Amino acid sequence: MSTRTWGWLAAVVDVVLVVLFALIGRSSHGEANTAGALWTTAYPFLAGWAIGYVSSGAWGRPLRIWPTGVVVWVLTVFVGLAIRVATGQGDVDGNPLPISFVIVATIVLGVFLVGWRAIVRLVQRTVATRRGRRTTA
């Protein structure tokens, strides 16, 4: 697959995983999962993802864990949380940014945005190694 194809595929996978993060979060708190409600939860993180994707040059190296995956992950979390605070989302008893949510968002989005890249890279290496063994055998 070409880098360009991987770039588009990576963007789609990332966006789906960010929306899945929002969907899981809403479901775990018993909140409605209408399109509007889901958008309200997801858009801060999607904005962060877009900034991370562009600033990391992800379209040119979409499967790299560093810097692509890490930059996309960190900016998705940082910008997403900043927008949530700025818009008053997620306020719990006067706390605009509960530490438990920061921890969960950081870990889940890290596993999602860096994890799938690590798995694909591992599969690619395994396939390349097996092909190399067959060629030399």
Side-chain angles (χ1 to χ4, degrees):
M1 228 187 309
S2 72
T3 301
R4 184 175 182 172
T5 302
W6 273 115
W8 283 107
L9 184 58
V12 170
V13 170
D14 282 350
V15 167
V16 167
L17 289 172
V18 170
V19 172
L20 180 62
F21 163 74
L23 184 65
I24 291 169
R26 294 191 64 79
S27 295
S28 70
H29 293 287
E31 297 174 338
N33 281 321
T34 64
L38 185 57
W39 170 251
T40 299
T41 301
Y43 89 82
F45 297 100
L46 290 171
W49 169 83
I51 292 168
Y53 199 81
V54 170
S55 66
S56 71
W59 61 89
R61 50 182 188 254
L63 300 179
R64 301 268 316 262
I65 293 170
W66 174 259
T68 305
V70 173
V71 170
V72 168
W73 165 42
V74 169
L75 287 175
T76 299
V77 172
F78 181 78
V79 173
L81 293 175
I83 291 172
R84 283 178 56 88
V85 169
T87 59
Q89 291 186 44
D91 189 285
V92 176
D93 298 326
N95 182 355
L97 193 60
I99 191 68
S100 59
F101 180 68
V102 173
I103 292 168
V104 168
T106 302
I107 291 170
V108 171
L109 287 169
V111 168
F112 279 7
L113 299 173
V114 177
W116 81 262
R117 286 175 169 86
I119 291 167
V120 169
R121 296 285 301 252
L122 180 63
V123 168
Q124 285 180 328
R125 284 191 195 128
T126 302
V127 168
T129 301
R130 289 184 180 170
R131 283 185 183 156
R133 283 189 205 147
R134 281 189 218 139
T135 306
T136 57

